[in-house]
């Protein structure tokens, strides 16, 4: 880290804390009470005009005062600007940073900080639980993909007798049927650059979010799991047609039970 960036961020924090403003704001975190402590913290309400590399350098300089920062994830997609994840090696470091920097005026805007809802893959690997996590994901993926593929093939088979219609729509992608409410959502028409962190940042703003599951060998589809049908439905309605890129409007349906 450049010395100027590091010293500037540290000095700014200390001056802010000494005024008493930091003490007043850092104790008020009601939104975090229902989320268990995590090595990873989620930050939003940041200035979205800051370039990605400068943002990451400044976040590192600020948060490394509280402990070993393993990684910082910041995306610059239209909807994800002004947000980031900071991953600490020690749980106590993330807790201390959350309390001390809550409301800190970062590039002119008070940061909002909370614990991330799931462990990062880096922390899972350090704990030795990453393999178990991946096995569970792969098992769920295989089952859900098989169900979705069967349903899609059945739907396409029903449309075969109408040859004129099939010829007229030969270039159109098959319509994915929407099933009864389910706590798992099926996403399609995703761009090639889609990854798990990108979708997690998009969906974790909704209550009940649990995890994103990508499909090996398929960049255009994914599954998102919530705690119940109602929470999944709220996210589905809010993000239906959301454009991850200008040419890819995301299509969201309930996965088949």
């Amino acid at each position: 880290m450049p010395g100027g960036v590091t010293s500037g961020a540290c000095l700014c924090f200390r001056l802010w804390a000494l005024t008493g403003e930091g003490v007043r704001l850092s104790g008020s975190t009601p939104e975090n009470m229902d989320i268990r402590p995590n090595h990873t913290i989620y930050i939003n309400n940041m200035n979205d005009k800051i370039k990605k590399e400068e943002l990451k350098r400044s976040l590192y300089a600020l948060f490394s005062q509280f402990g070993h920062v393993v990684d910082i994830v910041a995306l610059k997609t239209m909807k994800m600007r002004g947000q980031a994840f900071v991953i600490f090696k020690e749980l106590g470091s993330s807790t201390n940073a959350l309390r001390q920097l809550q409301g800190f005026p970062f590039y002119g805007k008070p940061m909002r900080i909370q614990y991330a809802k799931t462990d990062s893959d880096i922390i899972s690997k350090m704990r030795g639980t990453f393999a178990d996590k991946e096995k569970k994901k792969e098992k769920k993926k295989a089952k859900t993909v098989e169900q979705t593929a069967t349903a899609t093939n059945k739907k396409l088979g029903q449309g075969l007798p109408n040859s004129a219609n099939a010829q007229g729509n030969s270039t159109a992608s098959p319509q994915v049927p929407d099933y009864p409410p389910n706590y798992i959502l099926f996403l399609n028409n995703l761009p090639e650059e889609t990854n798990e962190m990108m979708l997690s940042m998009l969906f974790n703003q909704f209550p009940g979010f649990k995890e994103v599951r990508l499909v090996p060998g398929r960049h255009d589809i994914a599954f998102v799991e919530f705690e119940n049908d109602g929470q999944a439905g709220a996210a589905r309605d809010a993000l239906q047609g959301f454009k991850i890129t200008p040419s890819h409007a995301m299509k969201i349906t309930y996965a088949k039970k």
Side-chain angles (χ1 to χ4, degrees):
M1 291 295 130
V5 174
T6 304
S7 59
C10 294
L11 178 60
C12 185
F13 166 67
R14 287 166 186 161
L15 290 174
W16 176 73
L18 286 172
T19 64
E21 185 71 8
V23 175
R24 184 179 67 82
L25 290 172
S26 63
S28 176
T29 57
E31 68 275 17
N32 298 312
M33 298 307 291
D34 60 344
I35 303 176
R36 68 176 178 82
N38 197 318
H39 289 74
T40 304
I41 55 176
Y42 166 67
I43 310 158
N44 66 359
N45 197 46
M46 293 189 294
N47 190 326
D48 61 8
K49 305 298 182 185
I50 308 303
K51 292 183 179 180
K52 179 179 176 180
E53 291 309 312
E54 180 184 350
L55 177 66
K56 292 179 72 172
R57 285 196 300 268
S58 298
L59 285 173
Y60 182 88
L62 187 60
F63 282 90
S64 60
Q65 301 175 78
F66 300 95
H68 182 184
V69 174
V70 179
D71 195 15
I72 294 175
V73 179
L75 301 177
K76 295 297 286 184
T77 57
M78 188 60 66
K79 276 287 185 179
M80 293 299 102
R81 288 177 180 174
Q83 302 172 59
F85 289 90
V86 177
I87 306 168
F88 284 95
K89 184 177 181 180
E90 302 294 337
L91 185 60
S93 300
S94 64
T95 299
N96 195 22
L98 183 150
R99 291 173 177 169
Q100 295 297 323
L101 290 175
Q102 190 69 255
F104 176 72
F106 189 67
Y107 286 102
K109 296 186 70 175
M111 290 192 296
R112 290 200 294 261
I113 312 174
Q114 66 182 50
Y115 293 114
K117 295 181 180 178
T118 57
D119 286 331
S120 68
D121 288 347
I122 292 175
I123 297 301
S124 295
K125 287 176 181 177
M126 289 170 61
R127 288 177 171 175
T129 58
F130 183 74
D132 293 337
K133 180 180 175 183
E134 287 300 293
K135 285 179 182 177
K136 289 179 181 178
K137 283 186 179 181
E138 291 299 327
K139 188 175 180 180
K140 287 183 179 179
K141 281 179 188 176
K143 183 177 180 180
T144 312
V145 169
E146 182 181 353
Q147 291 175 342
T148 304
T150 301
T152 303
N153 289 336
K154 184 178 179 181
K155 183 74 175 178
L156 291 174
Q158 291 172 349
L160 288 178
N162 189 348
S163 57
N165 183 62
Q167 291 174 359
N169 294 283
S170 58
T171 59
S173 58
Q175 292 296 312
V176 179
D178 202 357
Y179 295 105
N182 190 352
Y183 64 94
I184 297 177
L185 299 176
F186 173 64
L187 318 182
N188 71 339
N189 199 41
L190 301 175
E192 187 173 355
E193 58 268 33
T194 301
N195 57 48
E196 184 177 342
M197 182 62 73
M198 185 186 298
L199 292 176
S200 294
M201 290 182 72
L202 188 60
F203 281 89
N204 77 357
Q205 60 187 303
F206 297 95
F209 169 78
K210 293 185 71 175
E211 66 174 349
V212 168
R213 301 197 291 271
L214 302 181
V215 180
R218 292 288 303 274
H219 71 266
D220 58 328
I221 62 175
F223 297 90
V224 180
E225 183 177 342
F226 284 83
E227 292 178 0
N228 59 51
D229 300 2
Q231 292 168 334
R236 169 183 172 271
D237 294 343
L239 292 175
Q240 189 68 264
F242 173 77
K243 290 188 175 182
I244 295 181
T245 67
S247 58
H248 288 80
M250 183 166 56
K251 298 177 183 177
I252 311 175
T253 61
Y254 294 113
K256 183 180 179 182
K257 290 186 177 181

